[in-house]
Amino acid sequence: MPGHFEPLPGGGAAVALDEVEISIIRSLAVQLLELIGPGPAEDASADPLAELFAEGPSEPPSDPVLRRLFPDAYSGPGVTADTPERAEEQRAHSAEFRRFTENDLRAGKRENALAVIRSLDALTPGGDGGAVLELTPAQSEQWLRALNDLRLAIGSRLDVVDEDDTDRLYRLPDEDPRKPMVMAYLWLGGLQETLVATLVP
């Protein structure tokens, strides 16, 4: 179990994490929450129906990490327009799609990151500061989505676009200042992969 998820009888997954690993995952999840930002109606006194009708932004985020987490639906890498008119049409469709979906996407990503933080905070550390994290099937899916978001965020900072870029990361010298971020990216990938395996029937 150390370092990778294993299935639990009856569903769910478990992984043994040491004190440093718990701290790293929690810190990354908190940073992801800060990056995503608060929801449109975080004020408890706000009209609860207002959130249902709140429109999101129509323009892509300026931060490259947020652009990776909330990509355009009708434009971007791999999507080409053969005419300027078609390109303008794609931008309009992307803006409309973003306006009506981004708030919900952000809320989902916030909830997944919060689920990670809450489950780590609920751990009872052993004598060495480590603990065994046990997740229900529903928590496993939230963790899986959160790990994916964390890897997308870190990968964006590392300019990872495809498999060749990942191979490049393995060859970075130890003195490269990006090395700790690379190690976190690869480690989270291993956790994600083993968690996927526990969810496959």
Side-chain angles (χ1 to χ4, degrees):
M1 185 183 302
H4 62 273
F5 280 97
E6 292 184 359
L8 288 173
V15 62
L17 298 170
D18 65 30
E19 189 175 9
V20 173
E21 292 168 334
I22 293 168
S23 175
I24 290 171
I25 297 172
R26 191 184 189 287
S27 174
L28 290 172
V30 167
Q31 291 176 54
L32 182 64
L33 277 176
E34 292 170 351
L35 182 65
I36 292 170
E42 294 288 325
D43 183 0
S45 65
D47 178 1
L49 293 177
E51 189 172 351
L52 292 175
F53 300 102
E55 292 186 1
S58 59
E59 294 298 318
S62 57
D63 186 297
V65 174
L66 288 175
R67 278 200 306 273
R68 191 84 170 267
L69 291 171
F70 304 103
D72 270 338
Y74 296 94
S75 60
V79 181
T80 58
D82 48 4
T83 66
E85 294 79 15
R86 180 71 180 135
E88 184 56 39
E89 183 181 324
Q90 287 176 343
R91 279 191 291 274
H93 288 316
S94 289
E96 186 170 359
F97 185 83
R98 184 178 295 280
R99 189 164 58 249
F100 293 112
T101 62
E102 187 166 313
N103 284 344
D104 287 341
L105 290 173
R106 283 180 182 260
K109 291 181 186 300
R110 269 193 301 274
E111 191 53 42
N112 293 332
L114 280 170
V116 167
I117 294 167
R118 289 177 185 136
S119 58
L120 291 175
D121 288 349
L123 289 176
T124 304
D128 60 354
V132 174
L133 173 70
E134 294 189 356
L135 303 174
T136 66
Q139 289 173 321
S140 296
E141 291 182 11
Q142 286 185 299
W143 262 75
L144 189 59
R145 291 190 291 268
L147 288 172
N148 187 61
D149 287 340
L150 290 173
R151 292 193 77 237
L152 282 174
I154 296 172
S156 179
R157 294 288 189 231
L158 293 170
D159 296 321
V160 174
V161 177
D162 56 31
E163 196 62 37
D164 289 341
D165 294 323
T166 303
D167 292 342
R168 172 180 49 85
L169 297 180
Y170 285 104
R171 296 190 299 274
L172 283 180
D174 289 343
E175 59 273 12
D176 192 300
R178 295 169 297 170
K179 193 71 173 188
M181 197 183 309
V182 168
M183 297 306 293
Y185 177 79
L186 297 173
W187 172 58
L188 291 174
L191 284 177
Q192 184 181 18
E193 187 176 327
T194 59
L195 184 52
V196 168
T198 70
L199 296 172
V200 175

